Amino acid sequence: MSVAIVVDRLSYSYPSPVPGRDATWVLQEVSLSVEEGEFVSIMGPTGVGKTTLCLALNGIVPQSTGGRIKGEVHIYGLNTKLQPVADLAQLVGIVFQDAETQLFNMSVEAEIAFGLESLGKPAEEIAERVDWAMALVGMSGFKDRSPFQLSGGQKQRVAIASILAMTPKILVLDEPTANLDPLGKAEVFSVVRELRQKRGMTIIMIEHESEHIVEFSDRVIVLNNGRVELEGRPASIFSQVDHMRKIGLDVPQVSEMAHRHNQKYQTHFAFTQLDETYQALVSRLDGK
Ligand SMILES: Nc1ncnc2c1ncn2[C@@H]1O[C@H](COP(=O)(O)OP(=O)(O)OP(=O)(O)O)[C@@H](O)[C@H]1O
Ligand SMILES: [Mg+2]
């Protein structure tokens, strides 16, 4: 397997608002790596540096933001400090939570074609890629609609399509459903499911809801105060119920239940999903 992302002892601080005084480090000695095809979720309380870490993956941090940086980020071997952001954008596509502010074209088609046009791709290729991306997010037939007439979930799907049309190798989803109602959330997660299951894309998703993390993730990274505080498979992360609760993070209800059961009966359950919980408890009750 090839390594898609290597973050090596990355520390970063934004430019100081007070001249002559250094701002505090937002990221501190963050190290992680992601294999091609892996799905990694990042959790963490507000303001701990999750978005900053995403922006460091496509070079916006520090190339556009300035500030102080130590350590390095490599995307398929390319150093993000040295590679032009426009080149990195073709490797790493980032979708943010506020789709609304990302859409500014007159039609869905123009919106999705925008990035490709700015790369000077031939019209035929653009048309093909737009159709492909629209189908992937379940928005075929919406070509001529104004993005502003769409629901929140549809807007976010268009935002995802406009990134996918650039065929990045790595997709970063920064709280992609944070501003959506339950229907919109379900629409976006079904796109994520499709990308995960059928396309095997390398995906980094920042997300708070543990049930969604469990469904998709090979690995979970918990950031706290600019540092990687926990890292591991979902079952291992969500078995650390007290730790997660202490930093204010969600765990699946069945993980919480396993934790309570373990405390009362000295068992070693680490549930993340309903089915396995049910099976394990039935076996236990049956004395197997
Ligand atoms: N452009 C900027 N200039 C200066 N400071 C910034 C900038 N963007 C973010 N920060 C600060 O950096 C820290 C980390 O912010 P970041 O947005 O990366 O956190 P986050 O974990 O994504 O938070 P949230 O959960 O609210 O999305 C915060 O203290 C924030 O105020
Ligand atoms: Mg953020």
Side-chain angles (χ1 to χ4, degrees):
M1 256 208 229
S2 62
V3 181
I5 301 171
V6 176
V7 178
D8 185 18
R9 282 166 295 160
L10 178 69
S11 298
Y12 176 73
S13 78
Y14 285 98
S16 171
V18 187
R21 275 224 345 239
D22 284 340
T24 51
W25 295 101
V26 168
L27 297 174
Q28 297 184 61
E29 300 264 319
V30 171
S31 290
L32 57 97
S33 66
V34 177
E35 299 277 336
E36 188 169 66
E38 234 190 330
F39 194 118
V40 175
S41 290
I42 299 179
M43 300 181 86
T46 296
V48 295
K50 302 180 298 294
T51 298
T52 305
L53 179 59
C54 291
L55 295 173
L57 300 180
N58 73 354
I60 289 183
V61 162
Q63 293 194 41
S64 310
T65 54
R68 288 181 299 156
I69 187 160
K70 291 192 276 185
E72 282 174 2
V73 178
H74 287 96
I75 304 294
Y76 285 97
L78 301 175
N79 186 330
T80 57
K81 266 188 275 190
L82 309 175
Q83 211 66 22
V85 171
D87 293 354
L88 289 165
Q90 289 177 65
L91 279 178
V92 184
I94 307 186
V95 177
F96 296 97
Q97 59 179 252
D98 45 356
E100 224 109 353
T101 61
Q102 293 178 68
L103 307 180
F104 50 87
N105 284 284
M106 296 304 285
S107 71
V108 167
E109 182 180 24
E111 193 63 60
I112 300 172
F114 183 80
L116 295 168
E117 275 164 2
S118 58
L119 289 178
K121 297 279 178 201
E124 204 169 291
E125 183 182 339
I126 293 179
E128 244 170 56
R129 285 219 221 167
V130 168
D131 284 347
W132 170 82
M134 286 183 43
L136 207 53
V137 301
M139 292 288 289
S140 297
F142 283 80
K143 244 184 190 170
D144 301 323
R145 288 280 191 94
S146 159
F148 306 102
Q149 294 169 335
L150 304 176
S151 70
Q154 289 170 333
K155 279 183 190 155
Q156 190 61 306
R157 284 190 283 156
V158 170
I160 295 173
S162 65
I163 296 295
L164 291 175
M166 310 281 280
T167 58
K169 282 175 167 288
I170 299 163
L171 181 66
V172 179
L173 302 163
D174 187 355
E175 302 193 42
T177 67
N179 295 345
L180 301 179
D181 62 14
L183 181 64
K185 278 187 208 279
E187 286 173 21
V188 168
F189 281 120
S190 88
V191 172
V192 176
R193 194 168 297 123
E194 166 86 16
L195 296 173
R196 165 85 176 119
Q197 291 173 348
K198 305 214 179 111
R199 310 273 153 187
M201 266 189 104
T202 308
I203 301 181
I204 310 287
M205 179 172 78
I206 298 180
E207 174 57 45
H208 291 296
E209 287 177 31
S210 55
E211 260 97 8
H212 292 300
I213 290 179
V214 164
E215 180 186 350
F216 298 118
S217 313
D218 298 310
R219 204 141 53 86
V220 182
I221 292 172
V222 175
L223 269 193
N224 197 17
N225 300 322
R227 295 179 188 276
V228 175
E229 184 151 323
L230 297 173
E231 180 183 354
R233 302 189 74 78
S236 143
I237 296 296
F238 293 128
S239 66
Q240 302 178 58
V241 175
D242 289 334
H243 194 150
M244 292 293 275
R245 199 184 288 139
K246 203 173 93 204
I247 51 182
L249 298 179
D250 184 41
V251 301
Q253 284 193 322
V254 291
S255 303
E256 170 100 38
M257 204 211 70
H259 180 65
R260 290 193 202 174
H261 194 283
N262 291 344
Q263 284 184 323
K264 189 161 163 68
Y265 298 105
Q266 282 77 53
T267 46
H268 299 282
F269 290 132
F271 303 134
T272 53
Q273 279 165 321
L274 191 59
D275 279 352
E276 53 164 356
T277 309
Y278 176 75
Q279 294 302 338
L281 294 183
V282 165
S283 299
R284 189 170 159 82
L285 288 172
D286 287 348
K288 281 183 201 150

